[in-house]
């Protein structure tokens, strides 16, 4: 594989990995807000 | 084609940085090693505070402290990228190594800072969130941007930023600031100078090269060693205050006394033994010291604590 293609492949893989990580963080945040809301509305503190 | 561009800091930025760096680089921006001590002391403050908090909210509070500390670290790396590039200890960091763009690191840090403070306020309470914001702002504006490059007292005053976590943890439970939580703050505040100056003693050349006016660079190593001793001596009575105030018991008091005396003995050794080895050992011990102090605060609280002074029975 030519060097440019291999480097582009690496960059795309890195970018994809970062996007998945960002999705995971956003999902975790949604779950966190959900549980915090449940606890706060239930009178927990 | 490999692209490298000079940045303002005089470092090179390659394709990887333009693509946004690797995940590991973003983790490195958060200074995970520093974060561990911050998280631990924050958790200790939360655990020993009187009152109760829902375990999930406690987890959120500790997470916010961790993320906020990491975010402040990322902003610090953005601002200090020029001196980081000049120091052997820090030149491998993501920005000076050209793996993350400076602007991206800044955006990453600011976003995480805002998120952590907002989540702390909404999920836990606004006193803890206010303290968290104050700690971040102090670290970024007072320590990083104002003091670090201007005065050898940089880490003395700037140390306040690192002393906030137990007070934030305490406020997460109680919703207030009390004498006991200020004492926990003061312990870390007083511990910071001997901790950083021990590092600066054997990294003096690095700091001098980068133009950072650390005490050994400006006033010399002899003055630094004497100041380290003064701060460790001042730490002895301070470390005993949690027991005297009743927020910890006899077990903590005994361990804190022994650990603090050992700290003083190491400072005395550094005063006489001018080798790097002695300074390194003092630096290593200082980290252990803080872990021991806060571990025994937690253990003492778990065990219920035994009064330091006999309490007279009235009746």
């Amino acid at each position: 594989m030519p060097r440019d293609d291999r480097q582009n492949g690496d960059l795309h893989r890195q970018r994809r990995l970062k996007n998945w990580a960002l999705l995971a963080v956003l999902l975790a945040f949604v779950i966190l807000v959900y549980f915090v809301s449940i606890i706060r509305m239930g009178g927990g503190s | 084609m490999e692209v490298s561009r000079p940045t303002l800091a005089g470092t090179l930025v390659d394709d990887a940085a333009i693509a946004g760096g690797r995940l590991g680089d973003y983790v490195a921006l958060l200074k995970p090693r520093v974060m561990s001590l911050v998280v631990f002391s924050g958790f200790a403050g939360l655990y020993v505070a009187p009152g109760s908090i829902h375990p999930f909210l406690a987890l959120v509070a500790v997470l916010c402290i961790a993320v906020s500390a990491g975010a402040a670290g990322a902003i610090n790396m953005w601002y200090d990228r020029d001196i980081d590039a000049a120091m052997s200890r820090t030149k491998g960091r993501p920005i000076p190594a050209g793996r993350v763009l400076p602007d991206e690191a800044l955006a990453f840090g600011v976003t995480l800072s805002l998120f952590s403070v907002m989540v702390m306020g909404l999920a836990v309470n606004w006193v803890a969130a206010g303290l968290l914001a104050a700690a971040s702002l102090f670290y970024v504006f007072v320590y990083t941007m104002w003091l670090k490059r201007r005065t050898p007292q940089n880490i003395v005053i700037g140390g306040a930023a690192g002393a906030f976590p137990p007070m934030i943890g305490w406020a997460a439970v109680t919703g207030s600031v009390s004498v006991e939580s200020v004492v926990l703050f003061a312990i870390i505040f007083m511990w910071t100078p001997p901790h950083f100056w021990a590092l600066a003693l054997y990294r003096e050349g690095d700091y001098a090269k980068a133009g950072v006016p650390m005490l050994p660079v400006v006033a010399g190593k002899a003055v630094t060693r004497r100041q380290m001793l003064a701060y460790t001596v001042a730490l002895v009575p301070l470390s005993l205050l949690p027991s005297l105030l009743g927020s910890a018991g006899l077990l903590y008091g005994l361990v804190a006394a022994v650990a603090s005396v050992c700290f003083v003995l190491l400072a005395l050794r550094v005063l006489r033994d001018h080798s790097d080895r002695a300074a390194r050992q003092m630096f290593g011990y200082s980290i252990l010291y803080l872990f021991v102090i806060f571990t025994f605060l937690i253990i003492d609280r778990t065990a219920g604590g035994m009064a330091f002074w006999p309490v007279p029975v009235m009746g």
Side-chain angles (χ1 to χ4, degrees):
Chain A
M1 187 192 280
R3 195 157 176 266
D4 282 1
D5 290 350
R6 198 172 60 238
Q7 278 191 332
N8 280 338
D10 279 349
L11 292 179
H12 281 296
R13 204 180 61 246
Q14 275 180 41
R15 201 168 281 172
R16 203 164 44 240
L17 192 65
K18 247 177 56 178
N19 289 343
W20 280 111
L22 192 60
L23 178 67
V25 169
L26 287 172
L27 284 175
F29 183 68
V30 169
I31 292 166
L32 184 142
V33 170
Y34 171 77
F35 279 109
V36 166
S37 305
I38 295 291
I39 291 165
R40 302 283 297 193
M41 286 190 298
S45 61
Chain B
M1 188 178 71
E2 199 162 299
V3 182
S4 290
R5 297 173 179 82
T7 64
L8 283 176
T11 56
L12 295 175
V13 173
D14 60 21
D15 276 349
I18 291 160
R22 291 170 194 277
L23 272 182
D25 293 327
Y26 288 91
V27 175
L29 281 176
L30 300 175
K31 297 189 178 178
R33 280 169 60 189
V34 176
M35 199 197 275
S36 62
L37 210 54
V38 167
V39 166
F40 185 65
S41 60
F43 171 75
L46 187 142
Y47 191 85
V48 301
S52 63
I53 184 171
H54 191 285
F56 187 78
L57 297 184
L59 183 73
V60 171
V62 173
L63 189 71
C64 287
I65 293 171
V67 171
S68 178
I75 299 171
N76 169 275
M77 281 199 207
W78 162 77
Y79 190 81
D80 280 347
R81 60 192 185 278
D82 54 342
I83 54 178
D84 279 352
M87 292 171 63
S88 58
R89 185 172 67 90
T90 52
K91 68 182 177 192
R93 284 178 174 175
I95 303 174
R99 297 192 304 273
V100 173
L101 289 170
D103 290 351
E104 207 161 303
L106 176 64
F108 181 62
V110 171
T111 307
L112 287 185
S113 279
L114 293 174
F115 255 81
S116 57
V117 171
M118 291 302 291
V119 171
M120 181 72 104
L122 293 168
V124 183
N125 66 58
W126 288 102
V127 175
L131 289 170
L132 193 64
S136 282
L137 293 171
F138 194 91
Y139 184 72
V140 171
F141 291 103
V142 179
Y143 171 69
T144 303
M145 296 185 181
W146 181 31
L147 298 171
K148 187 173 178 179
R149 298 168 192 237
R150 283 181 176 79
T151 166
Q153 295 301 310
N154 49 14
I155 50 103
V156 177
I157 307 163
F164 270 99
M167 209 154 79
I168 298 167
W170 186 284
V173 177
T174 63
S176 65
V177 175
S178 63
V179 180
E180 293 91 336
S181 69
V182 173
V183 166
L184 298 181
F185 171 93
I187 288 173
I188 300 184
F189 183 75
M190 207 57 85
W191 163 90
T192 306
H195 166 72
F196 272 109
W197 286 336
L199 173 76
L201 277 178
Y202 64 88
R203 295 280 188 190
E204 181 211 9
D206 247 8
Y207 285 111
K209 201 167 83 179
V212 181
M214 291 298 277
L215 196 61
V217 178
V218 175
K221 290 187 173 183
V223 172
T224 308
R225 291 187 182 103
R226 283 199 295 274
Q227 296 249 353
M228 282 165 70
L229 179 63
Y231 278 97
T232 48
V233 169
L235 195 55
V236 178
L238 209 53
S239 68
L240 298 176
L241 275 180
S243 286
L244 298 171
L245 290 170
S247 56
L250 185 60
L251 177 66
Y252 164 82
L254 289 172
V255 171
V258 172
S260 300
V261 168
C262 288
F263 206 10
V264 172
L265 291 175
L266 270 173
L268 279 169
R269 189 173 154 232
V270 168
L271 201 62
R272 289 178 191 167
D273 181 351
H274 295 180
S275 67
D276 281 358
R277 190 166 160 266
R280 276 177 197 274
Q281 284 180 347
M282 172 112 184
F283 178 72
Y285 179 78
S286 67
I287 297 169
L288 177 71
Y289 173 84
L290 211 61
F291 268 111
V292 167
I293 289 283
F294 282 97
T295 299
F296 275 86
L297 270 176
I298 292 169
I299 291 173
D300 214 331
R301 171 82 169 150
T302 309
M306 222 168 88
F308 197 80
W309 306 111
V311 181
V313 179
M314 308 295 284

